[in-house]
Every structure is written in structure tokens, then in C-alpha cells.
Amino acid sequence: MASEFPYVLNPFPEEVQTKLKAKFLGFRGGLVDVEGRHAMPAHYGRFAERYFNYKFQKDDVLVMTFPRSGTTWTQEIVWTMRNQVDVDTAAKVPLDVRVPFIEFDSLQPEHLPLAAPIEEAYRSRHPGEDPRDKGIFLDLVDALPSPRTIKTHLPFSLLRPDLLDSCKVVYVARNPKDVCVSYYHQQRLVKVAEFVGDFPEYVDFWTQDLLLQAPYWPHLAEGWARRHHPNVLFLFYEDMKEDILRELGRLNTFLGTALTESQLQTVARHTSFSGMKSRGATNPTAALQESGEFKKGEAAFIRKGTTGDWTNFFTPELEEKFGEWMEKWRPTSEEIPFRYQIKIPE
Ligand code: A3P
């Protein structure tokens, strides 16, 4: 039996909405706050209960992250590992079809067109039905053959409470300064948000936790609290950058994929930053700029892929402001052992 969605969706106060809408042109419909755990477009209300009750399958694997923490990289890794290192299919079929973003129907603003190929697939499966109502991404997840790998930025608390009895979760975390810089560029690029301010203005929103799918720390806290659960693998982006074969080894054990050392090396090569940036299946920036889903003239979705890029954007003033925000979120912000710079062996 479906459970009632246990949280109240509160529209942000009028003056906050006005501020947000002036700088994020994609937030025309306004944002709602899910009791301090997540900020979503208002029409998330139509889907919240369905996500909360979504019954995952025993062999599903969820890649769960706060945005810009290495989701796409991990999606490609996990899909390739769970599909016999089929790098040819991975190069041809778009990642968002192989590893759908389950809640994207609730992020896509109602004034923008739906993702064309995914809408077409929906219409052929359900002639005459309204795709906005049913959700084309939810439907894509339903239609996916096993073993399914699924992307989500929803925190644990917005999915079913017994989630970990039914599937596995790979949770990826990245230090908040690099996430902030990366999210700034992505929010300028995607029409879902279309941020039109500069970086200091973005930090202003960030430090007030006024961002899509924010706040950051409660999301991280929920993942961190479950890191010892046998059905959770908690990864750090920085560890993946430092030694990808070591982290692929951990995934191999967790996923039960039993890949050989040589297959893991193939996965590492296939999912390298340059490889993923060069392939349309994982970096559809140019195509989505043409279709109007991404804005032209902005940095690519797969952008720089380093640890420590924040040093190129944070002035001492911005660092101070960020530090105050970190203080505000103690003890979580102290507990998770993030690295802000790493040394990568030659
Ligand atoms: P930058 O903007 O710092 O470059 P997400 O997929 O969660 O949105 O995260 C996007 C971030 O991961 C971007 O960071 C992107 O460049 C980086 N990324 C994507 N693929 C990567 C890869 N194969 N190796 C390292 N980083 C990658």
C-alpha cells in the first residue's frame, strides 16, 4: 500500500522567490522547500508521493549524489561495469537513456519542451496519454530492463524508508567548494535553471542554501549516516580522482560484478575525463545547445574534472563567507573528511 508523503511543501517566501526568479530565469514557476531537506520546482508536488513510494527492484543500483559531485562519471562507471564492459553500446546510447534521472520530470520547468527522444519513446509506449502528467523519466525507469542503474539527486529521506532493503546505493560526495564552482557553471548552462549572475552572486545564493536541490549538508549527512550499511557504498570524488583503479576495485566487490583487472582497466580508460568529454553519449552539451535545453556560450556539462578548481574562483572575501556557512552547518560540515586539494601521482 502506498504511504502518504510525510513532508509539507512550503513555497519559499515571496521576497525570496522574487530574488531567485530575477537571477535564475528557469525558476519561473517558483521553488518549494521540502521541510529544509530539499528545494524543488513547485510541480515536484505532483510527483513527490510517487518518488517516495517508488518500489525499486532487488537488482537496482541507485547512483545518489548532491548535484555536481561526480554523478555522470559514476553513472557511466556503474553502467559499464554492470553491462559486461560493453563500451560500444555505452558510446552509442545516451547515458540519460541507459541510466535515467528518476526525478527529472519534476525538475524540467513546465514552460520548456520535454526532452524530445524520451518524450517520443513515452508516446510510443502510451499513445494518447499526457507525458507531463505521467512523467517521461519515471516511465523510462519503469521500461528499463534489469539490471537497472538509476540516477537520483533526491536525498534518502525523500525515497521509501525501506529503500536499502530493496536495492543498492552508490553515494558519491565531493568537497563543497568544488561542487559550488561546478554547480555555478552548470546552473548557467542548463535552461532548467539559467542562472544569469556572476560567481559572487552565486555564492550568495549558495551560502543561504537557496539553490535547486539544496541544501548541501543535510543531503550529505543522510548519505554519511548510512555509509556502513551493506547496501551502501560511499565514495568520494577526490578518491576517484586520486586512484580510480582502487575505487573501481571497491565497486567491483560492492556490485558483485567480478570483473578482471584488465576489464577494470578498460572501464577506467572508457570513463576517463577526456574520454567522457569527447563522447556525445556522456557529454551531450553541443546537441543540447542546439535543441535549446542548454544555453550557448557556457562551459560544457563535463567541464574540467579536477579537484581544487575552486582556488581559481574564491577570493578571500568569498572564502570567509563560505567559512561562515560551514560554521552554520557544524557538526556535519566538520565530520565528513573532505579533501580540498589532492596530489595525483604522475
Ligand atoms: P567540474 O565542473 O568541476 O568539471 P555531476 O555529473 O554530478 O553533475 O558532476 C559534474 C562534475 O563531474 C563536473 O565537474 C564534471 O566535469 C566532472 N566529471 C564528469 N565526468 C568526469 C570524469 N570522467 N572524470 C572526472 N570528473 C568528471
Side-chain angles (χ1 to χ4, degrees), residues 211-232:
L211 295 167
L212 199 58
Q213 306 209 270
Y216 174 88
W217 287 114
H219 196 301
L220 274 281
E222 289 192 32
W224 185 244
R226 290 163 177 81
R227 70 192 181 284
H228 299 307
H229 191 290
N231 278 344
V232 174

Side-chain angles (χ1 to χ4, degrees), residues 174-238:
R174 187 184 192 188
N175 82 71
K177 285 184 172 170
D178 279 326
V179 170
C180 178
V181 169
S182 182
Y183 208 9
Y184 160 69
H185 287 96
Q186 187 257 22
Q187 293 282 278
R188 290 188 57 91
L189 173 71
V190 297
K191 288 282 186 64
V192 163
E194 201 176 352
F195 182 64
V196 291
D198 58 19
F199 185 65
E201 285 174 298
Y202 188 79
V203 174
D204 221 39
F205 285 106
W206 176 284
T207 52
Q208 295 176 74
D209 297 297
L210 290 176
L211 295 167
L212 199 58
Q213 306 209 270
Y216 174 88
W217 287 114
H219 196 301
L220 274 281
E222 289 192 32
W224 185 244
R226 290 163 177 81
R227 70 192 181 284
H228 299 307
H229 191 290
N231 278 344
V232 174
L233 181 67
F234 192 101
L235 298 174
F236 284 104
Y237 177 95
E238 293 77 15

